[in-house]
Every structure is written in structure tokens, then in C-alpha cells.
Amino acid sequence: MSSLQAAEKKERSLAEIILVVLLVALLMASFISYFFKHQEQLSRAGFSTISQVFSARVNAIRGQWFMDNQPRFVYTLSPKDQVSGAEKVKIPVNKKGWVDAGDSPLSCQAIWQHVMATPLQYMKQPIGAVWVEQNNDSAAYCQYSLPSGEYFTYSQYNGKVSSVKVSYQ
């Protein structure tokens, strides 16, 4: 093999490497562009899943309340510890069987902890938990929201968990 043929072979393999690197960079750039373009929809879909899990757990706690002959507290396994067989968690419920943490200023945070047993956080964003009162007490509810404006509500009076909505700020 002459030195000219060896040089041509090296040039070809260098050109192939550069082509592969350019293709990978192009694919990465298109993926990143696609991700940022659809990030809001991905965030909303994930937060919607959280609201559905919240609703399912609230209903499961109420079902347990019915099975336990409607006590003041429902004892259930924490969602985190169901596999390990840890001790039961005491969850306060109201007279209708819905998760209720009383009238404290932090009752919505307490309700979240009882139901979800996770920090108020989603994709490294804090979830705001606010008690909202309207003219009469029966219209009061907890609102769980992201900084981007997505939120869902939970009424401890009737157990209703709303679908995810967006408040335009």
C-alpha cells in the first residue's frame, strides 16, 4: 500500500467520522427543539396524571372509610410503603368520609401529604397549595397549582377533584 493510498483512506475515515458527528448533532438539535416546543403540553399531561392519582387515592381512602364502618380516622398504608409492609398511616376524614385536615392555614398541604405522601413538587417545580374560600363555606376548596398556571382543585366537602385547568396570568 503506497503512502498516497494510506492518506486517501485516512481522509475517507475522517470524513465519515465528521459526517456521523454532524448527523448526531442534527438529531440532538431537532430533539431539543421538539422538546422545548412541546414542553408545555408534556408538563400539562404529567400534571393531569397527578390530579388523576390524587383523585383515585381520595376515592380509595373514602372506600376504606366505608369498609371500616365510617370512623373518624382511616388507617391505610402509605403509597410509598405498600411494598415494604410498613405500618399504617392515620388519615383524618370528615363526616362524609373525605380527606380533611381541619381549618388550619396549612390544611391543603396536610391533605396533600395524607393523600400523596410526597413533597409538593412536580418536575423540580413547587406545587402551590392554597385554601380558597368563596362567599359560603361549602364553596371552599384546596387549589394545587404550578408556577406556569396549571392547577386542579379538591373540595373536602364533596371529594370532587377537578380536571387540570390553566389560569392565564
Side-chain angles (χ1 to χ4, degrees), residues 36-102:
F36 284 120
K37 190 177 188 181
H38 295 89
Q39 184 176 11
E40 185 177 318
Q41 291 172 333
L42 293 171
S43 176
R44 189 171 300 140
F47 197 59
S48 178
T49 300
I50 287 178
S51 76
Q52 292 169 0
V53 168
F54 187 91
S55 178
R57 290 185 181 166
V58 164
N59 287 320
I61 291 167
R62 187 157 193 251
Q64 187 65 43
W65 176 76
F66 277 120
M67 289 189 291
D68 292 345
N69 294 321
Q70 304 174 355
R72 177 70 181 107
F73 295 96
V74 172
Y75 292 91
T76 183
L77 292 177
S78 169
K80 287 182 180 178
D81 299 328
Q82 288 181 355
V83 175
S84 64
E87 293 184 25
K88 292 188 175 188
V89 177
K90 181 179 176 181
I91 300 174
V93 293
N94 59 23
K95 292 179 181 179
K96 295 180 180 178
W98 301 112
V99 178
D100 192 348

Side-chain angles (χ1 to χ4, degrees), residues 15-159:
E16 289 171 352
I17 291 172
I18 290 174
L19 182 64
V20 168
V21 168
L22 285 175
L23 284 174
V24 169
L26 181 66
L27 287 172
M28 285 176 57
S30 66
F31 174 75
I32 290 170
S33 170
Y34 180 81
F35 175 77
F36 284 120
K37 190 177 188 181
H38 295 89
Q39 184 176 11
E40 185 177 318
Q41 291 172 333
L42 293 171
S43 176
R44 189 171 300 140
F47 197 59
S48 178
T49 300
I50 287 178
S51 76
Q52 292 169 0
V53 168
F54 187 91
S55 178
R57 290 185 181 166
V58 164
N59 287 320
I61 291 167
R62 187 157 193 251
Q64 187 65 43
W65 176 76
F66 277 120
M67 289 189 291
D68 292 345
N69 294 321
Q70 304 174 355
R72 177 70 181 107
F73 295 96
V74 172
Y75 292 91
T76 183
L77 292 177
S78 169
K80 287 182 180 178
D81 299 328
Q82 288 181 355
V83 175
S84 64
E87 293 184 25
K88 292 188 175 188
V89 177
K90 181 179 176 181
I91 300 174
V93 293
N94 59 23
K95 292 179 181 179
K96 295 180 180 178
W98 301 112
V99 178
D100 192 348
D103 296 329
S104 73
L106 300 176
S107 62
C108 292
Q109 289 90 335
I111 289 171
W112 180 274
Q113 286 303 315
H114 290 306
V115 174
M116 300 296 279
T118 61
L120 277 161
Q121 199 172 22
Y122 169 67
M123 292 177 58
K124 298 184 181 180
Q125 294 181 8
I127 297 174
V130 180
W131 178 251
V132 179
E133 287 187 38
Q134 295 183 347
N135 295 339
N136 54 6
D137 283 341
S138 64
Y141 55 87
C142 287
Q143 179 173 310
Y144 300 101
S145 59
L146 292 176
S148 57
E150 291 99 346
Y151 70 93
F152 68 90
T153 61
Y154 166 67
S155 172
Q156 62 192 27
Y157 299 106
N158 61 14

